[in-house]
Amino acid sequence: MQKFWKISDSKSNKLIFIKDKTIYKGNPKSEDLNKLNAESTNLAFLEHLFSIPYSYIRRIENQRGKNEIKIFYGNDSEDELIINDKNTKKEVFEFLKQDNPNFSYSTELPSVLSYAKAPFFALLFTTAIFIWSLYLAIQIENGVVYELVGGGNPGITGIVLMIANLGVFKIIGGFVVVVGIIFMALNKKLKSRSMTEFLKR
């Protein structure tokens, strides 16, 4: 079974072609794309497109409100089919679903933690650095002298000590600004959280 979609408004995949249990994507030459129809038999140009055999695929994700279908394959590889039209995107996913009956289908609203993992970890890391550097800054202002022992790369301790030397006021001000940026990123990320369809091997 083969099926294709021409996506003129995509910069990364103007053609999505599924044939012989393989997904092809890319931007073929205009003449090849213009000639392509349901009866076409000369498909040599597919050799020049990026391909993902079904046998390599571990998981496929289709998130509502997003313009891509994510394909996870191999050990730790990921690619996307960029499709701006939601009806075409739904059609492509449904075809993949029907063409892979051995994949299990499910829908899920990603948890807040799993969906916004990066901003959460950034917040925890920033808070830890803030508390550490603020403690050292207070100690320095009270007359304690710190000094790095050993040469070479000072590492995280050296960075924290540099921050501590900025003073309590600047550290608190910097922390407020950074946390504000992280919360803005977190809020934006959570607003985009929506129901996701999964095809899993």
Side-chain angles (χ1 to χ4, degrees):
M1 184 186 296
Q2 67 180 43
K3 179 81 173 176
F4 66 85
W5 295 264
K6 296 180 182 181
I7 307 173
S8 58
D9 60 351
S10 175
K11 293 182 179 180
S12 60
N13 48 249
K14 294 187 182 300
L15 176 68
I16 296 172
F17 201 114
I18 300 177
K19 180 180 183 293
D20 297 333
K21 302 296 182 181
T22 300
I23 302 171
Y24 297 88
K25 54 163 278 190
N27 299 322
K29 294 179 180 178
S30 297
E31 53 266 32
D32 291 326
L33 195 58
N34 294 334
K35 290 177 185 176
L36 185 62
N37 57 52
E39 286 74 41
S40 296
T41 55
N42 183 9
L43 303 175
F45 67 89
L46 290 180
E47 296 178 5
H48 304 292
L49 300 184
F50 181 75
S51 62
I52 308 174
Y54 282 176
S55 58
Y56 290 8
I57 298 174
R58 296 181 289 108
R59 183 172 84 252
I60 301 174
E61 293 182 7
N62 179 34
Q63 185 177 354
R64 186 182 302 165
K66 298 285 188 177
N67 71 338
E68 76 270 351
I69 294 174
K70 292 185 177 182
I71 302 173
F72 299 85
Y73 62 96
N75 292 326
D76 193 25
S77 298
E78 175 187 343
D79 215 305
E80 299 172 341
L81 302 177
I82 306 298
I83 309 169
N84 292 318
D85 182 77
K86 65 179 182 180
N87 293 324
T88 302
K89 180 168 170 269
K90 180 179 179 181
E91 185 180 329
V92 172
F93 184 80
E94 284 300 317
F95 182 89
L96 291 169
K97 179 180 173 183
Q98 297 300 321
D99 210 31
N100 287 279
N102 56 321
F103 278 47
S104 61
Y105 171 78
S106 62
T107 60
E108 178 186 319
L109 181 64
S111 68
V112 171
L113 182 58
S114 66
Y115 194 71
K117 189 181 296 182
F120 273 126
F121 278 116
L123 181 60
L124 287 175
F125 179 76
T126 302
T127 301
I129 294 296
F130 166 71
I131 293 172
W132 188 4
S133 59
L134 182 63
Y135 169 77
L136 293 180
I138 293 172
Q139 294 290 90
I140 290 171
E141 290 189 358
N142 287 331
V144 177
V145 177
Y146 291 96
E147 135 179 22
L148 288 174
V149 178
N153 191 341
I156 188 69
T157 303
I159 294 172
V160 171
L161 192 55
M162 286 174 58
I163 295 172
N165 277 293
L166 293 175
V168 172
F169 180 75
K170 287 184 178 179
I171 290 173
I172 293 174
F175 177 72
V176 170
V177 171
V178 172
V179 167
I181 293 172
I182 293 174
F183 269 111
M184 286 173 63
L186 179 61
N187 185 54
K188 184 178 179 180
K189 186 74 174 174
L190 291 178
K191 280 184 176 180
S192 68
R193 189 170 66 114
S194 60
M195 194 63 71
T196 303
E197 296 178 285
F198 295 91
L199 290 175
K200 298 179 182 179
R201 186 176 292 282

